Amino acid sequence: DSGVTQTPKHLITATGQRVTLRCSPRSGDLSVYWYQQSLDQGLQFLIQYYNGEERAKGNILERFSAQQFPDLHSELNLSSLELGDSALYFCASGPLAFDTQYFGPGTRLTVL
Amino acid sequence: AQKITQTQPGMFVQEKEAVTLDCTYDTSDPSYGLFWYKQPSSGEMIFLIYQGSYDQQNATEGRYSLNFQKARKSANLVISASQLGDSAMYFCAMREDTITGANSKLTFGKGITLSVRP
């Protein structure tokens, strides 16, 4: 158990819908990262937050957004969902910006 | 250009034997970190080992060791005394430590499937 929690574990929804994935980092970790794992793209970095502020963006679609709250938990919002958004979404956390990232169990999103 | 290359499509090893999983990387940053993660069939990503670019010695964590050859830009994972529970997908990843420190994302390879035979 990495200490990073993600909810829900599984999510099944329809095209065009909007969903919110939630992540609670390890106690004391200030950095939160979101990654997407799909069969065709592999593991890709989406976005990073550090102590409430957006630090870096990767291959994140405009339909996706994220935020980190004062209690350091983070949410990833996915809207206007498409079939191709079906993937395993990971949240990871680390103490500072340049530390080992510990991954949560992931949220498996299926868009039908 | 691919930054992390894992070309072995699948590896098989006999229980209790050692196995090496290959990883090569490409970066122009002098400061970077290399990581290995394990992903069992259940899906979670488990951190195994870390090697910093300035570390003089190869990293070790229990049965895991990292064979770091900086000049060759390789960071191979060695698993000693394989166990059935080692059967999983293994990912090599790199973090480029930019001067500004703005982005500490991980870039992953495509992964290698390891199967341990009893």
Side-chain angles (χ1 to χ4, degrees):
Chain A
D1 186 349
S2 68
V4 179
T5 61
Q6 287 186 251
T7 57
K9 194 169 175 59
H10 300 277
L11 199 48
I12 301 174
T13 188
T15 55
Q17 294 298 305
R18 172 190 169 95
V19 296
T20 298
L21 312 184
R22 183 188 169 102
C23 166
S24 292
R26 296 185 321 158
S27 177
D29 284 357
L30 299 178
S31 272
V32 168
Y33 309 79
W34 287 96
Y35 292 87
Q36 179 195 58
Q37 185 179 31
S38 61
L39 282 174
D40 52 345
Q41 298 289 331
L43 264 159
Q44 293 215 315
F45 167 74
L46 295 178
I47 197 165
Q48 175 196 357
Y49 280 84
Y50 178 75
N51 203 19
E53 293 187 3
E54 182 183 303
R55 179 62 71 96
K57 268 186 174 180
N59 298 321
I60 187 166
L61 300 170
E62 285 193 9
R63 300 183 285 109
F64 296 1
S65 65
Q67 54 183 328
Q68 186 179 27
F69 295 88
D71 67 352
L72 300 178
H73 91 271
S74 178
E75 292 180 356
L76 179 67
N77 300 296
L78 316 176
S79 62
S80 303
L81 285 168
E82 302 174 0
L83 296 177
D85 297 328
S86 296
L88 186 53
Y89 291 84
F90 285 107
C91 167
S93 76
L96 299 172
F98 288 114
D99 280 298
T100 296
Q101 295 176 29
Y102 294 90
F103 282 70
T107 292
R108 187 169 295 280
L109 174 66
T110 303
V111 183
L112 301 175
Chain B
Q2 232 176 338
K3 292 203 169 190
I4 296 288
T5 303
Q6 296 181 262
T7 57
Q8 297 160 309
M11 293 285 288
F12 293 88
V13 65
Q14 206 67 32
E15 196 178 5
K16 298 181 185 176
E17 291 186 351
V19 63
T20 298
L21 306 182
D22 295 342
C23 172
T24 58
Y25 61 92
D26 184 30
T27 181
S28 55
D29 280 323
S31 179
Y32 52 90
L34 296 159
F35 301 79
W36 278 91
Y37 287 85
K38 170 185 177 182
Q39 186 175 38
S41 57
S42 52
E44 71 264 39
M45 293 286 287
I46 302 167
F47 164 71
L48 296 178
I49 196 166
Y50 162 79
Q51 178 85 43
S53 59
Y54 292 116
D55 292 343
Q56 295 296 314
Q57 293 189 323
N58 287 341
T60 61
E61 288 285 351
R63 294 187 298 112
Y64 304 107
S65 60
L66 202 152
N67 184 0
F68 180 46
Q69 298 190 41
K70 199 169 181 176
R72 292 186 175 186
K73 292 189 175 179
S74 76
N76 299 338
L77 177 70
V78 181
I79 305 175
S80 63
S82 296
Q83 302 172 355
L84 296 178
D86 293 335
S87 293
M89 181 83 86
Y90 288 81
F91 290 92
C92 179
M94 178 173 64
R95 182 196 67 218
E96 293 171 294
D97 300 339
T98 57
I99 293 174
T100 61
N103 188 345
S104 53
K105 70 172 186 178
L106 293 178
T107 301
F108 285 86
K110 294 188 183 300
I112 302 167
T113 301
L114 175 67
S115 299
V116 181
R117 292 172 168 153

